[in-house]
Amino acid sequence: MAEKDVRLMKGNEVIAYAAVHCGCDGYFGYPITPQSEVMETLMELRPWETTGMVVLQAESEVASINMVYGGAATGKKIMTSSSSPGVSLMSEGLSYIAACELPCLVVNCQRGGPGLGTIQPSQSDYNQCVKGGGHGDYNAIVLAPASAQDMYDFVDTGFDLAFKYRTPVIILADGIVGQMMEKVELRPEKPRRTAEQVKAEAPWATTGKSKDRDYNFITSLALESDVQERFNQKLAAKYEVIKEKEVLYDTYQTEDAEYLFVAFGCSARICEAVVDQLREEGIKAGLLRPVTLFPFPEKQIQALAGQVKSMMSIELNLGQMVDDVRLAVNGKCPVGFYGRQGGNIYTPDEIVEAFKKFNNLK
């Protein structure tokens, strides 16, 4: 039996290792705290010498997302990473990529805002990333890691989903998950795809003319209203399939729960301690952690809404995911919210106090 490759690493560092191990063809990015270790680690690994992977620091986030756009159009595995202000600059490019139905991976290690804000952790990019990110009617699949191992695993998962649905996928991390050090199990490198495999797996790609087909032409421009409307309806139909087939979530102590917390990322890990603390007091609490933020686990939350007395959304923002929780609950039970901002992190005791206040418990 082969010995496992387990290492103590930062969440941001394992993103770089995962990119190399899953056969990423190109990384284009620009440094910004708190995710700069992604590019720094790639530069240390020097994958261009062993795998041919391109790693390039662009002159800006606008440049990097457009390099992703161009690389993705060739059918290659292309990714970038940034943090909140940088992802804002990428939003137009993301809209173009979605409109061209191109697969790519974007990592957002969130920091506090708005504006330059702080370099401390936040979860305040939920609305931006989950609701699309740029202009127009589109969505990206959004994965929310809660550990360094998730950061590693979600790179491979993200690329698989991106190519399955020809859509951008966002790994929506936060500064805590990106900076924390944990044990991570690394997997052997995947065989890299040959040019022939890329052509076979991505017949839509701009890989030139061949004996089997003519040139492909990729554009997001549709000047005729009816043509644009049909395309928007095509995207909407694809998103409905994603909502039906790709929902991921975890639960903790929900079987007999009378109260439910909903939290993602680092907040979900803190809420596990909250659930344990409340159960020690005889209060049957549980936790649902959305792993995919789009598609959101609406049906699972709706089902639990008929079981519990109340729900609380716990987020490092002013209240963003809570709107989706309330829509899913649809009035079946009260829905509360507790959050911190500016890089402040709540303690389990703070959440317990807010929970008891919301539910009128002593």
Side-chain angles (χ1 to χ4, degrees):
M1 183 174 178
E3 186 175 340
K4 293 182 179 179
D5 185 1
V6 179
R7 308 186 192 187
L8 183 65
M9 302 173 69
K10 280 187 177 183
N12 287 333
E13 293 170 343
V14 301
I15 289 285
Y17 278 82
V20 177
H21 291 177
C22 77
C24 180
D25 296 295
Y27 171 93
F28 306 102
Y30 189 78
I32 178 174
T33 306
Q35 66 77 53
S36 297
E37 293 90 350
V38 178
M39 183 183 295
E40 291 170 359
T41 305
L42 281 170
M43 291 299 184
E44 291 173 0
L45 292 174
R46 304 176 69 85
W48 54 88
E49 295 178 350
T50 55
T51 71
M53 176 183 174
V54 175
V55 181
L56 182 64
Q57 178 177 322
E59 60 266 35
S60 69
E61 289 89 352
V62 174
S64 64
I65 196 63
N66 281 287
M67 290 177 183
V68 170
Y69 182 6
T74 69
K76 297 295 185 73
K77 289 185 176 182
I78 307 295
M79 67 177 291
T80 186
S81 65
S82 190
S83 186
S84 307
V87 174
S88 293
L89 290 170
M90 293 180 179
S91 59
E92 182 187 22
L94 276 169
S95 178
Y96 276 64
I97 291 168
C100 291
E101 293 191 279
L102 298 176
C104 71
L105 185 64
V106 177
V107 180
N108 180 0
C109 192
Q110 301 164 89
R111 60 191 253 181
L116 286 177
T118 175
I119 63 172
Q120 305 303 321
S122 175
Q123 294 180 326
S124 57
D125 297 355
Y126 178 93
N127 281 341
Q128 180 193 42
C129 292
V130 172
K131 307 304 180 184
H135 60 284
D137 287 319
Y138 81 92
N139 286 100
I141 295 174
V142 182
L143 301 167
S147 67
Q149 187 68 56
D150 282 349
M151 293 281 264
Y152 184 85
D153 294 340
F154 286 1
V155 172
D156 202 13
T157 301
F159 273 124
D160 286 346
L161 290 169
F163 277 85
K164 182 177 181 179
Y165 293 102
R166 287 181 58 187
T167 188
V169 173
I170 297 173
I171 296 178
L172 189 61
D174 52 68
I176 291 179
V177 176
Q179 292 294 323
M180 70 181 358
M181 296 189 75
E182 294 186 304
K183 287 182 180 180
V184 179
E185 182 180 342
L186 307 183
R187 293 183 296 274
E189 290 186 19
K190 282 186 173 181
R192 295 179 63 77
R193 297 179 302 161
T194 64
E196 290 72 22
Q197 287 174 320
V198 171
K199 285 186 178 181
E201 294 173 12
W204 44 264
T206 55
T207 51
K209 188 176 182 179
S210 71
K211 63 180 181 180
D212 301 318
R213 64 164 175 78
D214 204 345
Y215 295 106
N216 283 329
F217 184 65
I218 293 176
T219 181
S220 63
L221 181 65
L223 295 178
E224 296 182 25
S225 299
D226 289 345
V227 172
Q228 183 65 57
E229 184 174 48
R230 285 195 297 271
F231 178 73
N232 287 139
Q233 291 168 348
K234 175 190 173 185
L235 284 183
K238 176 168 69 174
Y239 300 143
E240 288 304 313
V241 173
I242 292 171
K243 288 179 183 179
E244 185 65 30
K245 294 185 176 182
E246 305 299 343
V247 174
L248 298 173
Y249 64 97
D250 286 333
T251 58
Y252 182 67
Q253 302 271 42
T254 58
E255 293 80 3
D256 62 343
E258 297 178 354
Y259 301 93
L260 187 74
F261 294 98
V262 184
F264 68 97
C266 68
S267 297
R269 293 182 64 159
I270 296 170
C271 282
E272 284 191 15
V274 173
V275 169
D276 291 341
Q277 186 171 330
L278 288 172
R279 284 190 171 259
E280 287 177 2
E281 298 179 25
I283 299 171
K284 293 180 179 179
L287 166 68
L288 185 143
R289 171 203 163 203
V291 175
T292 50
L293 300 179
F294 181 87
F296 193 68
E298 299 172 10
K299 294 179 181 178
Q300 292 74 19
I301 289 175
Q302 190 174 59
L304 286 166
Q307 169 186 325
V308 300
K309 298 176 181 178
S310 72
M311 292 189 190
M312 282 196 80
S313 185
I314 309 299
E315 311 170 52
L316 289 175
N317 55 46
L318 282 169
Q320 296 186 20
M321 183 179 69
V322 64
D323 293 335
D324 288 332
V325 175
R326 287 176 176 140
L327 285 171
V329 167
N330 196 25
K332 284 188 176 180
C333 70
V335 178
F337 165 77
Y338 182 69
R340 296 293 303 271
Q341 302 85 44
N344 288 311
I345 312 300
Y346 23 57
T347 65
D349 286 342
E350 286 179 40
I351 297 173
V352 167
E353 182 180 353
F355 162 81
K356 290 182 176 179
K357 182 177 182 180
F358 174 69
N359 291 284
N360 295 314
L361 299 173
K362 293 183 179 179

